[in-house]
């Protein structure tokens, strides 16, 4: 028997065939949404400062939870032992020692990363992400003449790939204590203009020296210029009173701003750089944390940081985003006790070892200066584990380019290595085989890690910053030292004399890395000139 099918029915059948599976399968057909990326960068937080890295004198349940739900790296690094160069490298994927002017930025520093520079933010922005930085910037604002505090503050983050920013412009021991929202100082009253400078504006301007007895936290070195909120700072400022914040409110404000950003963008892929100021000086957390640790304000600031991490995770949970968000937790440099204020950090430290078992801290190229907590969590996508792979904050630009399947022009992210598989805990993933770390960049101090070997090179023959018994001290060390981190993680035994061949190979490797201008392999030959 012949079945007759009318042309109309044929058309309908054809349409159905072309339109794909039935309604219920539609989601399965769509390409997976790109994961959100949240980078939480702590400030001056050491390897041993959180309980999941061995701290016993303080408990950090939220950071510990992040670690237990993700990968806790035992060999995670930042690329420098001070703030500005690490942040520069995290954003640009380039070693900071390659670029002049990337050391600790003064209050009136112009924008250090020039517009047109590819950054992790611009890459993600081009990939369809909404991008924001909330927190400490410390990478300068404005053109060559520096920040125009009463006018448009550009260039800044918005000119290098961020759609929005809500910033502490420098670091909070430097003036001024105002928020910068996008291109403007927030709440600035034009009739009370903000002036920022290096010189005392008038002979009767109160300073930490002239009004020391009025301070709520005394200074120990530097930090004795303009007073705000009972704390004297580095640098001078006048005006902008309506715009000034209280140190105690910074963390709450940044959590609030992050919540707004995540809520606004919950349906789009987003990138949030949450740049905490904890546990940098002046350590003045919100009153509700005062006395909550046994370690004074430094410990209380660690608790505040942990609270922030908890709030961010809760937001992601509430908005059902945890399974679609890669969260990276890291620090910008190792720990320091007395960094300019008498806040009792050293006196109250007890048995706590902020740098874990490592030597050195902030300002140092010993492991304690740059080996820091480093956690990656992506619920559902990352199997919880502990990893010994070597990864660094400088690797995030290339690794997220890989994650979001975006090409990287050859001339960008020149020292950023693809460690995505290590970040995601893939079996047989490779971490870095070598890494160069630096101090603040002015003194020509380099640490080259290659396998388990670590070479120290000091170009200037003067004393170096080393933390001894938790105190920052200047000690004399030779121009080169060699350690084997597998046997001697505390870098106590300089074995350069016993391994002259290894030392020579590493000196050559370091010289070649500095001279060559890049360490990321040129992969995309079509883009190479
Ligand atoms: C140093 C400051 C220190 C801190 C540091 C920057 C003095 C004596 N020391 O110059 O207090 O501000 O710069 O820290 O002024 S960082 O983490 O932002 O790099
Ligand atoms: Ca820092």
């Amino acid at each position: 028997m012949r079945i007759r099918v009318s042309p109309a029915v044929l058309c309908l059948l054809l349409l159905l065939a072309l339109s794909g599976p039935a309604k219920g399968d539609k989601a399965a057909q769509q390409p997976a949404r790109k994961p959100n990326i949240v980078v939480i960068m702590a400030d001056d937080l050491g390897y041993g400062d959180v309980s999941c890295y061995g701290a016993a004198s303080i408990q950090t349940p939220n950071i510990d939870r992040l670690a237990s739900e993700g990968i806790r790296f035992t060999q995670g690094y930042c690329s420098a032992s001070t703030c500005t160069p690490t942040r520069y490298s995290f954003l640009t994927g380039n070693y900071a020692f390659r670029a002049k002017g990337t050391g600790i930025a003064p209050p009136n520093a112009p924008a250090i990363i020039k517009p047109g520079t590819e950054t992790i933010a611009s890459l993600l922005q081009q990939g369809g992400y909404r991008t924001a930085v909330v927190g400490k910037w410390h990478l300068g604002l404005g053109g060559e003449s520096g920040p125009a505090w009463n006018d448009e503050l550009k260039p800044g983050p918005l000119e290098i790939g961020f759609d929005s920013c809500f910033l502490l412009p420098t670091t909070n021991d430097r003036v001024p204590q105002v928020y910068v929202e996008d291109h403007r100082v927030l709440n600035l009253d034009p009739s009370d203009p903000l002036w920022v400078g290096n010189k005392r504006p008038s002979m009767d301007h109160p300073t930490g020296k002239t009004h020391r007895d009025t301070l709520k936290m005394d200074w120990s070195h530097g930090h004795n210029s303009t007073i705000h909120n009972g704390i004297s700072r580095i640098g001078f400022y006048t005006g902008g009173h309506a715009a000034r914040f209280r140190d105690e409110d910074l963390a709450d404000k940044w959590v609030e701003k992050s919540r707004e950003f995540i809520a606004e963008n919950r349906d789009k892929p987003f990138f949030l750089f949450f740049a905490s100021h904890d546990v940098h000086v002046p350590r003045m957390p919100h009153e509700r944390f005062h006395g909550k640790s046994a370690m004074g304000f430094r410990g209380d600031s660690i608790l505040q940081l942990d609270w922030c991490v908890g709030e961010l995770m809760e937001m992601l949970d509430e908005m059902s985003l945890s399974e679609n968000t890669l969260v990276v937790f890291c620090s910008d440099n190792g720990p320091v006790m007395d960094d300019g204020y008498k806040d009792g950090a050293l006196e109250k430290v007890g048995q706590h070892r902020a740098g874990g078992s490592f030597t050195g801290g902030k300002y140092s190229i010993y492991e304690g200066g740059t080996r820091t907590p480093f956690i990656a969590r992506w619920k559902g996508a990352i199997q919880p584990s502990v990893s010994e792979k070597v990864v660094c904050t400088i690797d995030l630009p290339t690794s997220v380019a890989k994650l979001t399947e975006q090409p990287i022009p050859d001339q960008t992210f020149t020292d950023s290595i693809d460690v995505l598989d290590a970040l995601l805990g893939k079996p047989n993933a490779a971490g870095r085989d070598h890494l160069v770390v630096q101090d603040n960049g002015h003194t020509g101090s380099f640490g080259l890690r290659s396998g388990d070997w670590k070479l120290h090179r000091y170009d200037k023959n003067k004393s170096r910053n080393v933390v001894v018994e938790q105190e920052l001290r200047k000690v004399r060390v030779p121009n080169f030292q060699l350690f084997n981190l597998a046997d001697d993680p505390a870098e106590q035994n300089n074995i350069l004399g016993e391994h002259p061949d290894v030392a020579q190979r590493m000196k050559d490797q370091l010289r070649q890395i500095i001279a060559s201008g890049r360490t990321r392999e040129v992969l995309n030959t079509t883009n190479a000139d």
Side-chain angles (χ1 to χ4, degrees):
M1 192 183 122
R2 249 179 104 201
I3 299 171
R4 280 178 169 265
V5 182
S6 73
V9 171
L10 255 180
C11 251
L12 195 72
L13 284 172
L14 195 69
L15 264 176
L16 274 173
L18 286 176
S19 70
K23 216 173 153 199
D25 294 337
K26 228 174 175 176
Q29 285 273 303
Q30 285 178 359
R33 204 189 110 170
K34 290 177 180 173
N36 309 310
I37 298 165
V38 176
V39 174
I40 306 170
M41 187 175 273
D43 200 350
D44 298 4
L45 185 78
Y47 191 90
D49 269 331
V50 290
S51 36
C52 55
Y53 279 82
S57 313
I58 192 153
Q59 293 303 310
T60 50
N62 295 303
I63 298 169
D64 294 5
R65 184 186 136 204
L66 199 68
S68 69
E69 293 174 353
I71 303 190
R72 184 173 68 82
F73 288 89
T74 58
Q75 308 204 73
Y77 289 83
C78 46
S79 52
S81 57
T82 57
C83 169
T84 303
T86 284
R87 286 158 203 262
Y88 170 87
S89 296
F90 154 59
L91 290 174
T92 65
N94 303 322
Y95 280 138
F97 62 75
R98 302 199 189 285
K100 282 206 179 106
T102 52
I104 298 172
N108 268 332
I112 292 172
I113 305 174
K114 303 288 175 247
T117 310
E118 189 87 62
T119 65
I120 186 171
S122 62
L123 175 109
L124 290 169
Q125 194 179 49
Q126 286 147 32
Y129 278 66
R130 296 286 299 171
T131 55
V133 48
V134 173
K136 163 167 159 174
W137 183 238
H138 208 187
L139 285 164
L141 290 170
E144 281 321 307
S145 52
W149 295 106
N150 301 288
D151 202 342
E152 277 207 310
L153 287 162
K154 61 196 264 199
L158 270 51
E159 284 65 44
I160 53 167
F162 288 100
D163 293 313
S164 64
C165 66
F166 192 91
L167 310 172
L168 162 69
T170 64
T171 191
N172 207 22
D173 58 345
R174 273 142 224 260
V175 296
Q177 277 54 61
V178 296
Y179 294 121
V180 170
E181 187 168 42
D182 298 339
H183 285 136
R184 294 271 174 188
V185 170
L186 186 68
N187 298 331
L188 188 67
D189 173 359
S191 67
D192 181 27
L194 178 63
W195 172 88
V196 177
N198 306 326
K199 293 215 176 85
R200 197 173 174 197
S202 63
M203 285 317 286
D204 58 358
H205 180 84
T207 69
K209 281 186 188 158
T210 61
H211 289 65
R212 198 163 184 176
D213 55 348
T214 68
L215 301 176
K216 72 176 173 196
M217 182 184 274
D218 197 7
W219 50 274
S220 55
H221 53 79
H223 306 87
N224 49 25
S225 303
T226 293
I227 302 170
H228 170 66
N229 192 26
I231 302 171
S232 52
R233 323 269 168 163
I234 296 177
F236 298 93
Y237 72 124
T238 57
H241 288 88
R244 298 187 188 191
F245 57 67
R246 274 184 356 125
D247 306 68
E248 291 86 340
D249 298 328
L250 278 179
D252 284 352
K253 192 53 150 185
W254 291 340
V255 164
E256 176 195 319
K257 286 288 158 188
S258 300
R259 187 184 294 281
E260 279 173 26
F261 172 74
I262 295 177
E264 265 164 36
N265 296 291
R266 60 194 292 177
D267 299 326
K268 315 179 182 93
F270 62 80
F271 166 55
L272 171 65
F273 173 26
F274 183 89
S276 171
H277 191 261
D278 295 318
V279 295
H280 197 286
V281 297
R283 300 170 184 127
M284 189 45 68
H286 192 270
E287 286 83 349
R288 68 183 182 278
F289 296 104
H290 290 194
K292 289 286 150 52
S293 78
M295 291 192 283
F297 284 124
R298 187 171 188 280
D300 298 349
S301 299
I302 295 176
L303 296 181
Q304 178 168 271
L305 168 71
D306 187 64
W307 172 82
C308 293
V309 172
E311 289 296 299
L312 289 165
M313 284 200 298
E314 210 175 293
M315 282 172 219
L316 295 175
D317 283 347
E318 274 166 25
M319 298 186 222
S320 306
L321 294 170
S322 294
E323 305 216 329
N324 197 29
T325 304
L326 169 66
V327 179
V328 175
F329 176 83
C330 55
S331 177
D332 71 336
N333 52 254
V336 58
M337 294 292 125
D338 179 349
D339 206 16
Y341 293 96
K342 293 183 188 169
D343 61 8
L346 194 56
E347 295 77 359
K348 295 185 181 160
V349 73
Q351 297 303 308
H352 181 73
R353 291 291 168 268
S357 55
F358 302 115
T359 300
K362 186 171 181 176
Y363 312 112
S364 153
I365 57 163
Y366 281 85
E367 288 292 283
T370 51
R371 205 195 288 196
T372 39
F374 198 116
I375 298 165
R377 185 198 77 163
W378 179 358
K379 269 192 172 172
I382 291 180
Q383 282 304 311
S385 60
V386 176
S387 171
E388 293 181 348
K389 302 283 183 262
V390 175
V391 294
C392 179
T393 47
I394 198 173
D395 299 328
L396 291 168
T398 292
S399 304
V400 306
K402 182 81 181 302
L403 175 68
T404 57
E405 296 173 346
Q406 293 187 77
I408 310 167
D410 282 333
Q411 296 317 313
T412 63
F413 305 163
T414 52
D415 300 295
S416 181
I417 306 296
D418 171 14
V419 294
L420 180 65
D421 286 352
L423 290 178
L424 300 182
K426 296 262 174 73
N428 307 320
R432 281 181 159 265
D433 61 2
H434 75 280
L435 173 69
V436 180
V437 294
Q438 64 170 83
D439 59 8
N440 192 37
H442 299 309
T443 48
S445 311
F446 300 97
L448 169 62
R449 187 173 168 173
S450 183
D452 285 332
W453 296 103
K454 170 112 174 256
L455 180 82
H456 292 200
R457 170 177 139 182
Y458 302 94
D459 289 354
K460 292 198 181 137
N461 193 17
K462 58 176 192 153
S463 53
R464 342 279 173 211
N465 287 314
V466 179
V467 176
V468 182
E469 293 295 322
Q470 309 238 46
E471 264 185 279
L472 198 62
R473 292 202 197 141
K474 298 248 181 221
V475 296
R476 292 192 79 83
V477 287
N479 282 11
F480 289 96
Q481 298 190 94
L482 182 71
F483 301 97
N484 189 311
L485 297 177
D487 311 330
D488 179 24
E491 296 162 288
Q492 294 295 300
N493 308 310
N494 176 13
I495 48 174
L496 187 133
E498 292 151 47
H499 298 276
D501 47 337
V502 176
Q504 193 54 52
R505 175 169 59 74
M506 290 184 71
K507 286 180 191 176
D508 292 346
Q509 186 184 4
L510 181 55
R511 206 176 307 121
Q512 196 268 335
I513 288 171
I514 295 168
S516 68
R518 68 178 300 141
T519 45
R520 184 171 68 82
E521 272 177 73
V522 176
L523 296 173
N524 186 356
T525 45
T526 50
N527 277 357
D529 291 332

